[in-house]
Amino acid sequence: MTPRTILVVDDSELVHKMHGMTLRKYAGCQILHAYNGAEALDVLNLHPEVELVLLDVNMPVMDGLSFLHARSEAGLFLDVPVIMISTEATEDDVRRGLEAGATAYLAKPFKPPELLAVIDSLSAPAASPETSPEG
């Protein structure tokens, strides 16, 4: 995936800066910022061109899971992939995030290439019967 517009949702300014440095790989990519889930919904309403959301779990006002539930209930932006990023990464945490609508889940701490690999994997073509080794 080569996103043109990414929304970073995290309550830490440092995390926003770190993601900004990592996402420089995608030349010309616009990075939008929100500091909680409620702000993220507002940003998505103003910027329907967002192609990817990087979402923290623990935030004030509206946490990441609540954002996913609100997005689902509204039926909006469901085609925008969400990578949930959190220090909470037990099997149960990951399951809850994916069931709530996250496309992928990445545990903190992680190295920048790990995030880029997850982003790049979002557009990797699935094997079709014509191209799979078995077919």
Side-chain angles (χ1 to χ4, degrees), residues 99-115:
E99 285 177 356
T103 310
Y105 202 107
L106 187 61
K108 291 178 186 176
F110 60 87
K111 292 183 168 80
E114 292 174 283
L115 174 59

Side-chain angles (χ1 to χ4, degrees), residues 7 9 36-42 44 53 55-56 59 62-73 77 82 84 100:
L7 172 58
V9 187
N36 61 64
E39 284 183 16
L41 291 171
D42 291 341
L44 286 171
V53 176
L55 180 68
D56 187 24
M59 296 176 288
M62 179 186 279
D63 66 28
L65 289 173
S66 296
F67 164 83
L68 289 171
H69 290 297
R71 177 183 85 141
S72 179
E73 287 172 13
F77 317 111
V82 175
M84 189 163 261

Side-chain angles (χ1 to χ4, degrees), residues 50-105:
V50 169
E51 296 175 316
L52 176 65
V53 176
L54 304 182
L55 180 68
D56 187 24
V57 174
N58 295 314
M59 296 176 288
V61 183
M62 179 186 279
D63 66 28
L65 289 173
S66 296
F67 164 83
L68 289 171
H69 290 297
R71 177 183 85 141
S72 179
E73 287 172 13
L76 299 172
F77 317 111
L78 298 177
D79 59 331
V80 177
V82 175
I83 300 173
M84 189 163 261
I85 301 172
S86 179
T87 56
E88 296 182 26
T90 66
E91 189 175 312
D92 225 27
D93 295 322
V94 173
R95 180 188 50 76
R96 275 195 302 272
L98 296 175
E99 285 177 356
T103 310
Y105 202 107

Side-chain angles (χ1 to χ4, degrees), residues 2-78:
T2 304
R4 291 176 301 245
T5 307
I6 298 174
L7 172 58
V8 175
V9 187
D10 198 294
D11 59 327
S12 166
E13 187 65 41
L14 178 61
V15 169
H16 283 265
K17 289 178 182 175
M18 290 179 357
H19 284 327
M21 289 173 28
T22 300
L23 297 172
R24 284 190 297 196
K25 172 192 175 194
Y26 305 110
C29 178
Q30 178 184 17
I31 301 171
L32 303 174
H33 303 275
Y35 295 87
N36 61 64
E39 284 183 16
L41 291 171
D42 291 341
V43 170
L44 286 171
N45 279 312
L46 292 171
H47 296 276
E49 72 275 14
V50 169
E51 296 175 316
L52 176 65
V53 176
L54 304 182
L55 180 68
D56 187 24
V57 174
N58 295 314
M59 296 176 288
V61 183
M62 179 186 279
D63 66 28
L65 289 173
S66 296
F67 164 83
L68 289 171
H69 290 297
R71 177 183 85 141
S72 179
E73 287 172 13
L76 299 172
F77 317 111
L78 298 177

